[in-house]
Amino acid sequence: MTEGGLCRRIRRQPLSVCIGGTFVKIERIVLASASPRRKELLLQIGLVPEVVPSHVEERVTTDVPAQAVEELSRQKAEDVAAGCGAGTLV
């Protein structure tokens, strides 16, 4: 199936996620990274993200690799999410 085909399929079947016991309709999925591999992984599970790379200066405050990855991911997501409206999953 082409990427365009995936877009059409997702638009006809809106995605909902449960946040705090309430289902929220997701109208837009944004990948806050320019990584082709991350985009490929999302496409493999049927999600077609809009790529909006973060330009935040990365700050790592830990030497624990897993925590550093979480910190950087959160920083990028918060940076991009600040410019997104309701119904956007970053």
Side-chain angles (χ1 to χ4, degrees):
M1 183 179 281
T2 66
E3 186 173 331
L6 287 174
C7 284
R8 284 191 293 281
R9 182 171 60 106
I10 287 174
R11 285 191 185 119
R12 278 187 269 128
Q13 298 174 354
L15 176 67
S16 294
V17 295
C18 184
I19 299 174
T22 302
F23 279 95
V24 178
K25 181 180 171 191
I26 302 301
E27 298 173 6
R28 179 177 169 216
I29 298 172
V30 172
L31 176 61
S33 168
S35 165
R37 180 65 179 141
R38 287 185 177 88
K39 181 179 179 182
E40 179 186 334
L41 290 169
L42 290 174
L43 290 170
Q44 286 178 6
I45 62 169
L47 300 176
V48 182
E50 177 182 339
V51 177
V52 181
S54 170
H55 299 289
V56 71
E57 183 177 336
E58 298 177 353
R59 293 176 311 277
V60 178
T61 63
T62 181
D63 293 332
V64 180
Q67 290 176 355
V69 169
E70 287 182 27
E71 279 185 357
L72 294 174
S73 298
R74 187 182 309 87
Q75 290 168 21
K76 290 179 180 184
E78 289 174 350
D79 176 54
V80 171
C84 297
T88 302
L89 177 65
V90 178

